[in-house]
Amino acid sequence: MKDLATGLPELIVQNRQRMVPVNLGWLRKVAAFALPLCAEHSADGLFTLKELDEVVVTIVSDKRIAEIHMDFMGIPGATDVITFQHGEVVISAETALRYAKENGQLPMAELALYMVHGFLHLNAHEDGTELQRTRMHAVQDVIWRQALDALPV
């Protein structure tokens, strides 16, 4: 149900995997911090997060995200985040763990990055071309850094 005070969708953040420890309380705080910032950055000005009643973020295993990746996109293998325009963001905890190690950061920070990325997709941002990717990542990185500064892991 939409939050009438802010006009933003209700946020649900859930963990449906057991492979990677997740601080769900912290991730929920990051989601609540980042969602309004992402809502201010619509890529096309037409579709916005504010039109959704709820946003559901689900942390899953590589196995589960690989199934979703194949079922909905026809692409084999795990990926970091998949976003559905009806308001669902699915994130792989195992992929976040791998990339966090490669990038020298904490897995929770990587999960937060994927969540911001998903929120921006829900606000019409795309990353299919180099120009789209550059624009989206510029906004994404600012919001992600603000979240990590405000809510250290």
Side-chain angles (χ1 to χ4, degrees), residues 101-153:
K101 286 178 182 176
E102 285 180 23
N103 296 323
Q105 63 191 16
L106 296 172
M108 290 304 299
E110 192 77 12
L111 288 171
L113 176 65
Y114 297 169
M115 194 165 50
V116 170
H117 187 85
F119 291 168
L120 289 172
H121 273 310
L122 291 175
N123 222 23
H125 284 267
E126 295 296 333
D127 55 4
T129 69
E130 190 60 38
L131 179 60
Q132 289 172 328
R133 191 170 17 268
T134 298
R135 288 179 179 165
M136 182 178 184
H137 285 210
V139 173
Q140 169 187 293
D141 291 348
V142 168
I143 293 170
W144 179 60
R145 292 279 175 210
Q146 287 175 340
L148 293 181
D149 287 347
L151 302 159
V153 179

Side-chain angles (χ1 to χ4, degrees), residues 35-46:
L35 188 73
L37 297 175
C38 291
E40 297 305 316
H41 293 279
S42 177
D44 65 7
L46 301 175

Side-chain angles (χ1 to χ4, degrees), residues 15-20 58-68 78-80 90-95 98:
N15 181 23
R16 297 289 181 252
Q17 58 81 47
R18 290 177 269 199
M19 301 295 290
V20 178
T58 306
I59 312 300
V60 299
S61 66
D62 267 0
K63 179 181 180 198
R64 182 66 186 124
I65 207 163
E67 292 168 353
I68 294 167
T79 189
D80 50 4
V90 183
I91 298 172
S92 171
E94 291 168 90
T95 298
R98 278 192 309 280

